[in-house]
Amino acid sequence: MTLWIFGLVLTAYVVVAASLARFIKNKDDFYVMGQQGSTLLIVGTLAATFLSAVTLMGIAGISYSEGPLVIGALGSFGAWVGTLIAVVFIGRKLKAMGCRTMMDFFDNRFDNKWVSVVALILMVIGLLGYGIIQLIGAGLVLAEIIDIPFPVIIVAFTLALLVFCSLSGMYGVVYTDTMMFFTMLAIAFVIAPMLIDDAGFEAMRGLSEKLPGFWTLGGANDRPLGWSISQFLVWILFFACTPALVSRVFPAKNDFVILKVAVIGVFFAPAMQLLVFLAAGAMQVLEPGIEPADRAMVVGFMEHTNPALAGVGLAGLMASIMSTASTLFVLTGFALARDLYEKLFDRQVSERRGVMLGRISQALVAIIVCVVAISRPAGIYWISIYAGAIFAVAWLPTIVAALQWRRMSARAALACMLVGSISFIVIGELQRHDWITLPAHIDNLMIAIVLGTLALVVVGLTCSPSEHEVASFEALRAQRLSDSTMRDFLAREGGARQLVREYRRVWGIMLLFVLVALALWGYLFVKLGL
């Protein structure tokens, strides 16, 4: 039954994605689903992209072996803050500029070939590195659990991704992400509470006696405070500017949808993480000694639930892989087709040809991903380690300065991206090979973001921006998504009443979810005695 449910859910994703291909009439449909995304759809795709195999395997494994607070308290909270910044601050601003992809921002703001090339290279390396390692890790676990050869699982995922990305573009990604979101909700709000209940809060609190530090920020391994702070910072900085989250805003209908998503989606994502981390901690009570620890939640699905829920749990794990991977790979395909080919070779490409190029690029990305994942190269692991941090140290200071600083120039952007990314990699490798030792509570992420930002400021102060850069900054300051939303509503019959109603609805939703969050967090903190 478990395998049948797993297969049926995967088939449902593919069928839905394939049926959406009929909505693709032009490039806008392919890249941003005609900007028709509703609140439910954008919440679904945002939350599903937020959760990944890293959550259900890697971080769940740390929660199992070291304690849920090691990353759950600061890392998850940092991810929440970063996602809020990505949606409300960066995403809304880029959407107001008319961006269809993240690379549109760099092109429009700087109009500089080298800035665009460096930003594109960093994005492709970061997205593919992060996506491929998820397929490899999760594919190995699933191959062991459901007794299907690893290459077969990878090929199945690749074929499904081809349907999601190549046939229906952003429509396929957003709709299937929303379906996957509900599968993940079942893990967080059905399976995880069952595991916690089976273990019992009293027994979970008692884990600190067997594993000293289990309920502290340092965890059972007594990690240094600097590591915890680094986790907090890296998740804020990575999530604030990662294309996977910022681009979720582009298909939204209007500003009200984005504001509601900022409340609902940004609540669900960390709430689901928190329950998964606590369930992983509960598995330390139910079944200590799981090796490797990354399998903790999978063992929970298979050994401590009935076959139907085990199938749902595995489908949720698969969904966490595919939702993140489909977003990462579709964005990479968009970059190759729209941001590389069209802008460098054929700016006047027709709508039909543009869609075809997008589909071809998705197929090319899927083939590359499949081949690399099956070969399982060791180097991919290190690329994945750097993926999130590279966005943090190279992209975030550049984007924030480009949005806020009049003197920001292409030279300053290049200095920041190159100094930030190169210093992060070099210092990290020197430290990993024990050639240097960093001071306590300091790591290469902190050093790299400081160096990158200093390079940006120094070059920005010494090199004047071009006329285009000044003009683009002034135009950017004048563009607000709320203005266009208000104009659209007021142009309708009875639009003023609709505008007021939507405004009140946003405030009502915000108040409701603040109360729900306080109740949920308060209940868990009291039960766990924290």
Side-chain angles (χ1 to χ4, degrees):
M1 182 182 292
T2 299
L3 188 56
W4 272 104
I5 292 175
F6 179 82
L8 286 173
V9 172
L10 177 59
T11 302
Y13 295 153
V14 173
V15 169
V16 169
S19 68
L20 292 167
R22 68 183 188 276
F23 293 112
I24 307 299
K25 308 298 183 185
N26 53 49
K27 290 190 291 184
D28 249 18
D29 292 337
F30 191 75
Y31 290 114
V32 290
M33 55 181 295
Q35 299 188 76
Q36 294 301 308
S38 64
T39 301
L40 173 62
L41 291 173
I42 306 303
V43 165
T45 189
L46 179 77
T49 302
F50 183 99
L51 296 176
S52 66
V54 173
T55 297
L56 289 175
M57 294 176 63
I59 303 178
I62 293 176
S63 299
Y64 170 82
S65 59
E66 300 183 36
L69 300 185
V70 179
I71 293 181
L74 292 179
S76 187
F77 180 63
W80 174 83
V81 174
T83 303
L84 199 60
I85 295 171
V87 173
V88 176
F89 174 58
I90 295 178
R92 289 175 71 219
K93 197 65 179 177
L94 269 58
K95 182 175 173 62
M97 294 174 63
C99 295
R100 296 295 180 266
T101 66
M102 286 289 289
M103 292 305 303
D104 282 350
F105 171 74
F106 291 98
D107 293 337
N108 296 339
R109 180 66 177 84
F110 300 109
D111 191 27
N112 182 282
K113 178 179 67 176
W114 292 110
V115 170
S116 297
V117 167
V118 172
L120 182 65
I121 290 172
L122 291 174
M123 185 176 78
V124 170
I125 291 175
L127 293 180
L128 287 183
Y130 190 66
I132 291 172
I133 197 63
Q134 290 202 70
L135 286 181
I136 293 174
L140 288 170
V141 172
L142 290 175
E144 176 186 344
I145 296 298
I146 61 180
D147 196 27
I148 295 178
F150 172 77
V152 175
I153 290 180
I154 295 300
V155 170
F157 280 157
T158 302
L159 292 175
L161 288 170
L162 270 173
V163 176
F164 293 1
C165 305
S166 299
L167 290 181
S168 46
M170 192 58 74
Y171 266 105
V173 171
V174 170
Y175 274 85
T176 54
D177 271 2
T178 303
M179 293 172 62
M180 295 173 188
F181 168 62
F182 285 102
T183 312
M184 296 177 202
L185 281 178
I187 291 179
F189 291 98
V190 177
I191 298 177
M194 287 176 60
L195 296 176
I196 294 169
D197 184 62
D198 287 348
F201 283 109
E202 185 174 348
M204 289 177 66
R205 288 197 299 268
L207 286 171
S208 58
E209 299 176 6
K210 183 178 70 172
L211 299 169
F214 192 82
W215 290 106
T216 66
L217 293 179
N221 285 0
D222 193 26
R223 291 181 183 270
L225 180 62
W227 187 87
S228 298
I229 293 173
S230 173
Q231 290 298 302
F232 177 67
L233 291 175
V234 74
W235 290 115
I236 291 179
L237 301 175
F238 167 45
F239 275 64
C241 67
T242 177
L245 293 179
V246 174
S247 65
R248 300 304 84 191
V249 170
F250 300 159
K253 283 183 180 179
N254 54 48
D255 203 25
F256 285 121
V257 167
I258 296 172
L259 293 176
K260 285 183 280 189
V261 166
V263 176
I264 303 170
V266 174
F267 161 79
F268 271 113
M272 291 161 69
Q273 270 195 338
L274 174 67
L275 290 170
V276 168
F277 298 160
L278 290 176
M283 286 301 298
Q284 186 66 249
V285 174
L286 297 173
E287 195 161 338
I290 297 173
E291 293 292 343
D294 289 355
R295 298 175 61 249
M297 288 303 295
V298 178
V299 173
F301 300 153
M302 302 298 294
E303 304 295 334
H304 296 275
T305 66
N306 60 54
L309 284 178
V312 172
L314 288 179
L317 173 59
M318 177 190 66
S320 72
I321 303 163
M322 298 190 71
S323 62
T324 304
S326 64
T327 297
L328 299 176
F329 300 150
V330 80
L331 293 177
T332 306
F334 288 174
L336 294 177
R338 189 173 189 275
D339 301 317
L340 183 63
Y341 181 85
E342 286 190 28
K343 291 174 181 175
L344 291 182
F345 302 108
D346 190 359
R347 289 184 175 269
Q348 303 302 317
V349 65
S350 67
E351 293 289 331
R352 183 176 179 181
R353 180 173 170 78
V355 171
M356 182 59 66
L357 286 170
R359 286 175 171 160
I360 292 172
S361 68
Q362 301 304 320
L364 178 62
V365 170
I367 292 170
I368 293 172
V369 166
C370 183
V371 172
V372 174
I374 289 175
S375 68
R376 286 180 270 175
I380 287 293
Y381 173 78
W382 295 109
I383 293 176
S384 73
I385 292 296
Y386 296 133
I390 283 176
F391 285 119
V393 301
W395 268 35
L396 186 60
T398 302
I399 292 174
V400 171
L403 292 173
Q404 300 295 320
W405 195 24
R406 192 175 188 275
R407 289 192 62 88
M408 184 61 179
S409 64
R411 292 176 181 175
L414 281 171
C416 180
M417 289 191 288
L418 292 174
V419 171
S421 57
I422 292 173
S423 62
F424 176 78
I425 293 171
V426 170
I427 295 172
E429 288 300 294
L430 291 176
Q431 185 182 25
R432 187 167 69 89
H433 289 92
D434 295 324
W435 292 337
I436 62 171
T437 301
L438 298 178
H441 310 314
I442 299 294
D443 72 359
N444 56 326
L445 171 78
M446 301 176 187
I447 296 173
I449 197 166
V450 169
L451 292 176
T453 304
L454 283 175
L456 184 154
V457 172
V458 170
V459 175
L461 290 174
T462 55
C463 300
S464 299
S466 67
E467 291 184 6
H468 170 84
E469 289 160 354
V470 173
S472 67
F473 177 75
E474 296 299 334
L476 186 154
R477 291 184 60 187
Q479 294 168 328
R480 295 192 302 177
L481 190 59
S482 56
D483 291 342
S484 61
T485 297
M486 290 177 65
R487 285 195 300 269
D488 290 343
F489 270 84
L490 293 175
R492 309 173 188 173
E493 184 176 351
R497 289 192 301 273
Q498 295 178 38
L499 192 64
V500 172
R501 186 164 59 247
E502 285 291 332
Y503 178 78
R504 290 174 176 172
R505 188 173 297 165
V506 170
W507 278 100
I509 290 172
M510 183 176 68
L511 178 60
L512 172 63
F513 276 90
V514 167
L515 294 175
V516 171
L518 289 174
L520 175 63
W521 264 253
Y523 172 79
L524 293 173
F525 268 65
V526 169
K527 283 292 187 179
L528 292 168
L530 299 176

